[in-house]
Amino acid sequence: MPKKKEEPAKPAAIQLIFQAPDLPTPKVNPRSGKLAVEDETPAVKKERVVKEKAPKEKPQREKAEPEEKESGSTRVDAKRSRRRDTRDNSRRRSSVTESEFLARRESVERTMVVRDKDGRIQIGVLEDGLLVEHYVAQSQGGSLIGNVYLGKVQNVLPSMEAAFVDIGKGRNAVLYSGEVDWEAAETGNQPRRIELALKSGDQVLVQVTKDPVGQKGARLTSQVSLPGRFLVYVPGGNMSGISRKLPESERQRLKQILKTALPEDAGVIVRTAAEGASEEQLIHDVERLKSQWETISEKAKGKAPALLHSEPDLLVKIIRDVFNEDFQTLVVSGETAMATIKDYLESVAPDLVERLSAYTLEEDVFDFYRLGDQIAKALERKVCLPSGGSLVIDRTEAMTVVDVNTGKFIGSGGNLEETVTKNNLEAAEELVRQLRLRDIGGIVVVDFIDMIQESNQEMVRRRLLECLSRDRTKNQVSEI
């Protein structure tokens, strides 16, 4: 046999390597052909990924849906939001200074004319001889606004957030959830939903805020308020307010009086007519309205539907709400109206009786003051301005649009900017007068003639705000 060749001797370094202790043999996965360590690493990662998943998103969405449903009335939330925005805006708005208040009062000569003829009462408010407000009332079928009823709930519609209430007037009136007195309603910790506060057959104390129109019934509120000469009494209210049309010094004086005169279980809203009123007059007004509320509460123990309190007719209501120290004279044509107004002023505001005068001429009082022509012009679409310009007033379902035109007005020297500015100033004054006379509310868009200089634009805006300040209706002016 052939002999094997002898292998050459290995170096010492290589020998040392083979003399090292045996290492564990790595295991190979027969399926993947990879080391078992490599297979274990991703497996651990996969397990961690599975553990870190939070499959709770679906239950969270299911819980969120009923929370939205049980959040309460959307009308209540919207009303709360509007009140919050109104408070924020009123805080930003600067109060009326003493000079501005006196200038606003003394710059206009105000007269009120009352005509009682053929069973119809007409009241006109004049400023500098021009008619700015006109009220008409028939002797039959007065307004329901302000009346307090004990109503009976007929049915509740949760999807409409409203309840229909029988007040004894044939057609059911509507009470929305935003007008419910939730402090008096016993709902506990449940959300403010009208179906939880009212049920069919319940008796509820309500006040009319809007007369029935067409097929729509009257609109109601369960937050009753009783208007007086100097203030509005709110039974069960916990807040008080003072008209912002009064100067700051007068507001501070009235605040000090209210701290002592105001009852703990009621709130009041001080009107502009309270300017200059003494503490005795305010206390007398509060006591008179408080006794009215006690009478209403006593009658509310009966059966529904029933009339608990009726507001006075239009004549007394306008004298109470509108006629104050700002008017120089009150001219009355008609013995019955004269006696009614005199009795009311003697009991409520004796200092204003001296401004009352009876009209004794043979000529009709409205013809004497030329009110008939002004009322007829208020029905026309086009209104002429003193200098030759015009206003074109169009009323739509959504808003009222007013277009200002120069018309025959060509100015008296100067340039186009001066002519346009003068026309816009006249238009601003006449616009506010027409809004008050026609009783236009809602959105009003006015297209003034373009002015280049910002000072002229600010002048027109100031004149518009000054004229609007004489109106009792709340307003807000913004530029587009």
Side-chain angles (χ1 to χ4, degrees):
M1 292 181 65
K3 294 181 180 180
K4 295 181 179 179
K5 294 182 179 180
E6 294 181 1
E7 296 180 358
K10 296 179 180 179
I14 297 176
Q15 292 179 0
L16 289 175
I17 290 176
F18 284 101
Q19 290 178 0
D22 295 336
L23 296 174
T25 305
K27 298 179 180 179
V28 179
N29 191 338
R31 294 185 179 180
S32 61
K34 297 180 180 179
L35 296 177
V37 179
E38 296 180 1
D39 288 347
E40 290 175 1
T41 303
V44 174
K45 289 183 180 179
K46 288 181 181 179
E47 291 177 357
R48 288 179 181 175
V49 172
V50 172
K51 289 181 180 180
E52 289 177 356
K53 285 184 180 179
K56 296 181 180 181
E57 296 179 359
K58 189 173 181 181
Q60 286 179 355
R61 287 195 297 267
E62 292 177 354
K63 290 182 180 180
E65 292 178 358
E67 287 180 1
E68 293 178 359
K69 291 181 180 179
E70 298 176 358
S71 60
S73 168
T74 55
R75 286 183 175 269
V76 175
D77 296 339
K79 190 173 182 180
R80 189 183 298 113
S81 177
R82 285 195 300 270
R83 286 178 176 174
R84 182 172 58 253
D85 296 341
T86 303
R87 286 196 300 268
D88 295 340
N89 294 332
S90 61
R91 291 192 187 103
R92 297 190 208 104
R93 184 174 54 203
S94 59
S95 57
V96 181
T97 62
E98 187 77 23
S99 59
E100 290 176 343
F101 178 76
L102 294 177
R104 180 186 302 170
R105 167 177 291 181
E106 297 172 356
S107 61
V108 179
E109 182 181 354
R110 292 180 173 86
T111 305
M112 183 177 291
V113 180
V114 178
R115 180 175 71 173
D116 185 4
K117 184 178 180 181
D118 300 332
R120 185 172 69 169
I121 296 177
Q122 288 182 272
I123 304 174
V125 177
L126 284 72
E127 292 183 355
D128 292 336
L130 296 177
L131 183 66
V132 294
E133 295 180 17
H134 181 227
Y135 304 92
V136 182
Q138 299 286 347
S139 58
Q140 301 176 354
S143 173
L144 301 179
I145 296 178
N147 292 355
V148 181
Y149 293 90
L150 180 63
K152 186 175 183 180
V153 179
Q154 296 297 311
N155 55 344
V156 181
L157 301 181
S159 59
M160 296 294 295
E161 298 186 13
F164 290 92
V165 183
D166 179 16
I167 59 174
K169 291 297 179 180
R171 190 183 310 156
N172 291 337
V174 60
L175 174 65
Y176 288 104
S177 60
E179 301 296 336
V180 175
D181 188 0
W182 293 103
E183 295 182 359
E186 298 178 357
T187 58
N189 296 328
Q190 296 178 334
R192 293 184 172 183
R193 300 187 64 86
I194 194 167
E195 64 269 20
L196 301 177
L198 298 174
K199 296 180 181 179
S200 298
D202 290 350
Q203 293 187 357
V204 57
L205 188 69
V206 292
Q207 187 175 29
V208 179
T209 59
K210 188 176 181 181
D211 283 323
V213 179
Q215 299 298 324
K216 296 181 179 180
R219 188 163 177 174
L220 305 175
T221 178
S222 60
Q223 303 168 3
V224 180
S225 60
L226 302 177
R229 173 64 182 171
F230 301 111
L231 47 85
V232 178
Y233 186 80
V234 184
N238 53 8
M239 295 181 63
S240 299
I242 301 177
S243 171
R244 288 191 171 272
K245 293 185 178 180
L246 293 173
E248 187 62 28
S249 58
E250 183 66 15
R251 287 168 52 84
Q252 294 298 329
R253 185 186 73 87
L254 294 173
K255 283 182 181 179
Q256 296 299 326
I257 296 177
L258 291 179
K259 288 182 179 180
T260 57
L262 185 63
E264 297 180 357
D265 58 343
V268 296
I269 302 173
V270 181
R271 314 175 71 163
T272 310
E275 191 264 333
S278 62
E279 183 176 357
E280 291 77 12
Q281 289 176 321
L282 294 176
I283 293 176
H284 175 71
D285 214 15
V286 171
E287 293 297 331
R288 184 173 59 87
L289 296 174
K290 185 178 180 180
S291 65
Q292 285 186 8
W293 173 245
E294 291 175 353
T295 304
I296 293 173
S297 301
E298 189 67 25
K299 292 181 180 179
K301 298 178 181 179
K303 293 184 178 181
L307 174 63
L308 306 180
H309 171 74
S310 177
E311 274 287 285
D313 56 11
L314 178 70
L315 180 60
V316 176
K317 192 182 297 185
I318 296 301
I319 298 300
R320 179 193 66 193
D321 297 342
V322 181
F323 185 68
N324 53 25
E325 292 80 3
D326 295 347
F327 287 83
Q328 280 71 31
T329 55
L330 171 58
V331 182
V332 183
S333 174
E335 296 180 358
T336 305
M338 183 69 180
T340 303
I341 295 174
K342 188 175 182 179
D343 292 342
Y344 177 77
L345 291 179
E346 287 178 349
S347 61
V348 176
D351 55 318
L352 296 179
V353 176
E354 60 183 12
R355 308 190 186 192
L356 185 63
S357 73
Y359 184 80
T360 57
L361 300 179
E362 294 182 0
E363 185 181 6
D364 187 84
V365 64
F366 269 41
D367 294 339
F368 180 80
Y369 286 96
R370 298 180 181 178
L371 301 184
D373 296 339
Q374 299 184 51
I375 295 174
K377 290 181 180 179
L379 303 176
E380 297 178 358
R381 176 173 177 262
K382 184 177 181 181
V383 180
C384 296
L385 300 177
S387 298
S390 64
L391 297 177
V392 179
I393 304 175
D394 291 320
R395 304 187 67 173
T396 66
E397 291 292 332
M399 66 182 69
T400 301
V401 183
V402 182
D403 186 32
V404 180
N405 300 319
T406 53
K408 300 178 181 179
F409 181 52
I410 58 175
S412 57
N415 52 29
L416 177 62
E417 183 74 9
E418 294 179 3
T419 303
V420 169
T421 302
K422 185 177 180 181
N423 190 84
N424 284 339
L425 290 173
E426 289 185 355
E429 294 181 359
E430 185 63 26
L431 168 66
V432 177
R433 174 175 170 266
Q434 293 296 327
L435 293 179
R436 297 173 62 185
L437 185 57
R438 302 176 186 224
D439 194 20
I440 297 176
I443 302 175
V444 181
V445 180
V446 186
D447 184 15
F448 287 102
I449 304 174
D450 293 339
M451 294 170 289
I452 299 176
Q453 299 181 8
E454 294 185 0
S455 59
N456 293 334
Q457 298 175 7
E458 181 64 22
M459 189 187 306
V460 173
R461 182 176 174 274
R462 275 178 158 183
R463 181 68 60 84
L464 182 63
L465 293 175
E466 178 186 351
C467 296
L468 285 172
S469 64
R470 304 169 189 165
D471 190 5
R472 296 184 299 119
T473 306
K474 293 181 180 180
N475 54 73
Q476 182 178 359
V477 179
S478 59
E479 299 179 9
I480 300 178

